[in-house]
Amino acid sequence: MPSSPSSTQKWTANLTPYLFYLLAIVTLGPLQFGFHLAELNAPETVIRCINQPSLLAELALPTCIPMTSAQFAIVSSIYTIGGLFGAISSGPLATKYGRVPPMRLAALFFTAGPILEAFAPSIPVIALGRLVSGLGAGGAIVVVPIYISEISPKESKGLFGALTQVTINVGILIAQILGYFLSYGQMWRIVFGVAGGLALVQALGLVVVCESPEWLATNGKTGLARKILQRVRGGNIEDEAAKWGTGTSEEGQEEYDSLLHGEQNQPSASNKRSSEASIGILKVIVHPDHYKAIIAVIGVMLAQQLCGINSVIMYSVSFLRDLLPTTAGIINIAVGALNLVMTIACAPLSDRLGRKTCLLLSIAGMGINSLILGFALEFEVQILAAVATLLIVASFAVGLGPIPFILANELVGPEAVGATQSVALSANWIATFLVAQFFPILRVLLDRGRVFFLFAGLAVLFFAFVFWWVPETKGKKNADEVWGRERRED
């Protein structure tokens, strides 16, 4: 009697080289999001001419750009304004035109932004470059998690979903290392140049990236969806494709040919029906099946930022420099490295412990360690300040890092996922802007480390919100099962 396949064999059966290629290319988007988020942290003093005068050098570009703390805060936070507009617009684009076109558009923004930053002669130009890079980041951080969720096998959605946060952390770490070693003369411009090179690689790689089978099926192209899913999986797809209904290989080939000839937006009867089923941002907010999910994902996205992670990612060098003048830069790199290691190590936790449990553990850890960091800075306890900073990052990786990007795909149906991601990420970008713009001001107003008491208080509120409002999604087949409702037959 033949033995049944082990769980490991089942898990690896649907993993193909093409799937790994898709994951590697699309996650360059979140990687660049993280890179731009952290690129100004280490070289701040050099860029602002704090340690050197502004002199003309190669290509008639100044060695640095004089700016005040307020001007630097604007240059830093304007990235989040671009991200907000990118997030708002990319969801509807992903719903109407597919997941791949918005990712290609984001790659173009990611290429143009760093060029402006690398060759910036003045504050307006470097700010414009940050704004353009933010447009790409906003689009990527909305669409990529959707795409990953839709191409990943069911049993590994949690693990692959964590790739978004893993690659964000890779980008942060790369920027921190480059910033540490290139913070002199005009070498800081190379940091931006590296980001442009990454964007070019992604733009070329996206040429052969396929459309999401889930989106194709939702938009009436069932045959093509099955054809592409077969290529991505490489094995038996019948169970996974059964929910799409029937679609012959001949239909798939016809749809494939229409895509090649640029006719993918010509409406067929089934396409019209599916397009009408898609829900826009305004409708998803008031829809009786989705408004609870909207509240949940907005709350979790706000928690991700307002528990204080970007105060560490963007400003750790500045708030640790007075207490640890010789090691602040090294701690900054350690923050990036620990963030990456912990995110990878904790990636399987959401599939084992559940999304909600990981979120609660993460928020509790960040709140406790923000409190400790506040006291450490207040009473100038060097070792405790360094350890608390690192533990904030470690706690973030347990849940608040990866899970918010997964939840928007699991709390609503595919017809509303694009709009939900846009709303959720818009809230996230607004919260990121608030931290980026006002953390330096609050740190001065509240003196020393008292601003971290504010983050601790917010963590208490978000812990209560997640506990009472956010449902568990682990092991649930669809949004109807998550929310305990019967599927509507419209």
Side-chain angles (χ1 to χ4, degrees):
M1 181 177 179
S3 59
S4 59
S6 65
S7 59
T8 302
Q9 290 173 326
K10 291 180 181 179
W11 189 84
T12 59
N14 292 323
L15 304 183
T16 63
Y18 187 55
L19 173 62
F20 285 116
Y21 172 82
L22 296 177
L23 294 171
I25 292 299
V26 302
T27 52
L28 285 176
L31 184 148
Q32 292 167 90
F33 161 74
F35 189 102
H36 290 292
L37 194 65
E39 66 188 358
L40 299 181
N41 190 351
E44 174 186 352
T45 56
V46 178
I47 294 174
R48 292 177 52 199
C49 304
I50 292 178
N51 295 327
Q52 63 179 358
S54 179
L55 303 172
L56 289 180
E58 292 83 0
L59 303 177
L61 294 173
T63 53
C64 56
I65 302 174
M67 61 182 90
T68 64
S69 295
Q71 290 170 326
F72 185 77
I74 293 173
V75 170
S76 296
S77 62
I78 200 170
Y79 172 68
T80 66
I81 302 298
L84 174 61
F85 283 103
I88 291 173
S89 60
S90 60
L93 289 175
T95 298
K96 185 174 183 179
Y97 298 107
R99 316 312 190 197
V100 175
M103 288 193 287
R104 290 173 177 166
L105 183 60
L108 295 179
F109 286 129
F110 274 137
T111 303
I115 291 175
L116 291 169
E117 293 177 75
F119 293 97
S122 61
I123 294 175
V125 178
I126 194 171
L128 179 60
R130 294 274 294 169
L131 180 69
V132 172
S133 296
L135 288 170
I141 216 66
V142 167
V143 181
V144 171
I146 299 174
Y147 185 82
I148 291 176
S149 177
E150 292 177 344
I151 66 170
S152 299
K154 178 182 176 181
E155 59 274 11
S156 55
K157 283 184 183 292
L159 178 62
F160 288 150
L163 284 176
T164 299
Q165 189 61 34
V166 168
T167 50
I168 287 173
N169 294 335
V170 171
I172 290 172
L173 180 58
I174 293 172
Q176 288 169 334
I177 292 174
L178 290 175
Y180 181 79
F181 288 105
L182 298 177
S183 292
Y184 63 92
Q186 285 212 98
M187 298 303 290
W188 55 270
R189 297 181 183 274
I190 293 179
V191 177
F192 303 131
V194 170
L198 291 170
L200 185 59
V201 170
Q202 186 188 28
L204 295 174
L206 284 170
V207 172
V208 293
V209 164
C210 65
E211 186 51 80
S212 160
E214 186 78 29
W215 181 86
L216 290 170
T218 302
N219 284 268
K221 300 181 183 295
T222 307
L224 180 57
R226 294 172 68 93
K227 185 182 181 71
I228 289 179
L229 184 63
Q230 181 68 55
R231 183 184 180 192
V232 175
R233 293 284 180 270
N236 186 356
I237 64 167
E238 293 308 314
D239 290 343
E240 191 172 352
K243 60 183 178 181
W244 298 336
T246 59
T248 65
S249 59
E250 288 80 7
E251 290 172 344
Q253 188 60 47
E254 290 174 3
E255 291 162 355
Y256 184 74
D257 292 339
S258 72
L259 287 175
L260 289 178
H261 291 89
E263 301 169 358
Q264 64 268 38
N265 294 321
Q266 298 298 318
S268 63
S270 59
N271 198 310
K272 286 181 180 177
R273 287 193 299 270
S274 300
S275 296
E276 291 170 359
S278 297
I279 301 177
I281 291 177
L282 293 179
K283 288 184 179 180
V284 80
I285 292 175
V286 298
H287 195 286
D289 282 352
H290 302 310
Y291 78 93
K292 289 184 178 180
I294 288 291
I295 295 172
V297 294
I298 287 177
V300 173
M301 285 293 184
L302 290 177
Q304 187 187 62
Q305 299 304 322
L306 296 183
C307 285
I309 186 61
N310 276 330
S311 66
V312 176
I313 299 300
M314 301 180 75
Y315 296 110
S316 60
V317 173
S318 63
F319 73 69
L320 289 174
R321 186 184 296 119
D322 293 339
L323 188 60
L324 300 161
T326 60
T327 58
I330 296 295
I331 293 174
N332 185 45
I333 294 178
V335 162
L338 180 64
N339 201 5
L340 175 59
V341 171
M342 286 297 297
T343 300
I344 295 173
C346 295
L349 286 182
S350 65
D351 285 332
R352 295 178 181 176
L353 301 180
R355 298 3 173 188
K356 184 171 182 175
T357 300
C358 288
L359 281 175
L360 292 173
L361 290 172
S362 181
I363 294 171
M366 291 192 70
I368 292 169
N369 287 293
S370 291
L371 194 64
I372 293 172
L373 178 58
F375 282 116
L377 293 174
E378 183 73 15
F379 296 103
E380 299 184 353
V381 184
Q382 294 181 337
I383 295 178
L384 190 60
V387 171
T389 300
L390 295 174
L391 288 178
I392 287 174
V393 173
S395 299
F396 178 78
V398 171
L400 277 180
I403 291 175
F405 298 106
I406 300 173
L407 281 182
N409 303 314
E410 298 182 336
L411 292 176
V412 297
E415 75 282 355
V417 98
T420 302
Q421 280 279 21
S422 286
V423 171
L425 268 297
S426 296
N428 186 284
W429 280 108
I430 291 171
T432 304
F433 169 79
L434 293 175
V435 174
Q437 180 66 40
F438 295 108
F439 175 80
I441 299 172
L442 288 174
R443 189 166 68 88
V444 173
L445 291 177
L446 298 179
D447 193 24
R448 296 185 180 179
R450 294 174 189 174
V451 66
F452 288 97
F453 299 153
L454 175 61
F455 290 135
L458 289 171
V460 173
L461 296 178
F462 285 119
F463 185 95
F465 171 80
V466 171
F467 183 83
W468 288 108
W469 188 268
V470 179
E472 181 56 71
T473 63
K474 174 194 171 186
K476 305 297 175 64
K477 294 180 181 178
N478 51 47
D480 295 313
E481 185 177 346
V482 168
W483 293 102
R485 62 180 180 242
E486 295 183 359
R487 176 173 288 279
R488 294 172 177 263
E489 298 294 341
D490 295 326

